[in-house]
């Protein structure tokens, strides 16, 4: 899907302030309310944005540790059943990907402390279909969910559509 500078500006605005009403977005961007509504619908329908939600920081409610866990599965179980079982039984898994390489799944896990992290790893290893795991502890987060620079770079040379820039009368 093609996005232009107005789309990028709208995404940036709502990333920084997800609670902004449509009218306020329109005012700040200098476009009609209907333009914002239709742009949001198009971006959502096109799969560019999934939702406009607050960004939850687990550290804000005492989940200070972040670890990455590589999971090797028993192949006869298959990826989907193991991934579903992990997601259903372990809420501390905040991201999960099927990956290539030495493991089958890559997890990002949060924990309150080292003892809590060990208990989470023990629970992961007990899920049917998990053959073995390996992990590494994150020491510092530099950034997470970094998509605005990508959106801006993509839309940088896209001209604004003058028809959509008209303000409601």
């Amino acid at each position: 899907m093609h996005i232009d500078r107005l789309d990028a500006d709208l995404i940036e605005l709502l990333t920084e302030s997800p609670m902004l009403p449509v009218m306020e977005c329109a005012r700040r961007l200098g476009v009609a309310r209907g333009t914002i509504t239709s742009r949001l619908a198009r971006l959502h329908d096109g799969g560019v944005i999934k939702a406009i939600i607050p960004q939850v920081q687990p550290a804000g409610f005492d989940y200070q540790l972040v670890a990455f866990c590589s999971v090797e599965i028993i192949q006869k179980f298959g990826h989907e059943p193991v991934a579903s079982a992990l997601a259903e039984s372990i809420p501390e898994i905040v991201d999960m990907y099927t990956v290539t390489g030495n493991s089958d799944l890559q997890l990002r896990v949060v924990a309150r402390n080292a003892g809590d992290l060990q208990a989470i790893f023990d629970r992961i290893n007990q899920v049917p279909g998990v053959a073995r795991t390996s992990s590494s502890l994150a020491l510092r987060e530099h950034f997470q969910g970094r998509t605005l620079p990508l959106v801006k770079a993509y839309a940088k040379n896209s001209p604004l559509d003058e028809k959509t820039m008209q303000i409601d009368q």
Side-chain angles (χ1 to χ4, degrees):
M1 180 181 155
H2 179 76
I3 59 173
D4 63 19
R5 287 181 288 163
L6 179 58
D7 294 325
D9 290 346
L10 178 58
I11 291 167
E12 181 178 15
L13 184 61
L14 289 172
T15 298
E16 292 169 356
S17 302
M19 304 285 287
L20 278 181
V22 170
M23 280 300 291
E24 181 60 17
C25 291
R27 187 189 69 72
R28 289 187 188 187
L29 296 174
V31 297
R33 178 183 43 81
T35 298
I36 297 298
T37 302
S38 66
R39 291 289 181 120
L40 285 172
R42 185 176 59 79
L43 290 167
H44 186 269
D45 292 345
V48 174
I49 57 173
K50 287 195 290 187
I52 300 170
I53 59 172
Q55 289 186 337
V56 176
Q57 297 295 326
F61 51 101
D62 204 28
Y63 285 84
Q64 299 293 327
L65 294 180
V66 175
F68 299 94
C69 182
S70 298
V71 178
E72 292 179 42
I73 66 169
I74 299 168
Q75 294 303 307
K76 71 178 184 177
F77 280 84
H79 287 82
E80 286 305 316
V82 175
S84 293
L86 286 166
E88 290 171 12
S89 63
I90 304 172
E92 295 89 352
I93 297 172
V94 294
D95 292 307
M96 182 185 316
Y97 297 91
T98 295
V99 296
T100 62
N102 294 330
S103 63
D104 299 301
L105 297 171
Q106 183 71 34
L107 316 176
R108 184 168 61 96
V109 177
V110 295
R112 291 186 175 108
N113 54 50
D116 189 29
L117 184 60
Q118 181 61 57
I120 293 165
F121 288 151
D122 290 344
R123 291 185 358 242
I124 290 170
N125 281 301
Q126 293 171 3
V127 169
V130 171
R132 74 182 52 83
T133 62
S134 64
S135 61
S136 58
L137 191 62
L139 299 177
R140 178 177 165 211
E141 178 182 301
H142 295 275
F143 55 79
Q144 180 187 41
R146 181 179 179 253
T147 56
L148 281 178
L150 179 64
V151 169
K152 287 181 177 183
Y154 180 87
K156 185 177 182 179
N157 295 319
S158 178
L160 291 174
D161 182 351
E162 294 301 322
K163 290 188 291 186
T164 63
M165 296 300 293
Q166 296 174 4
I167 298 174
D168 280 343
Q169 301 287 327

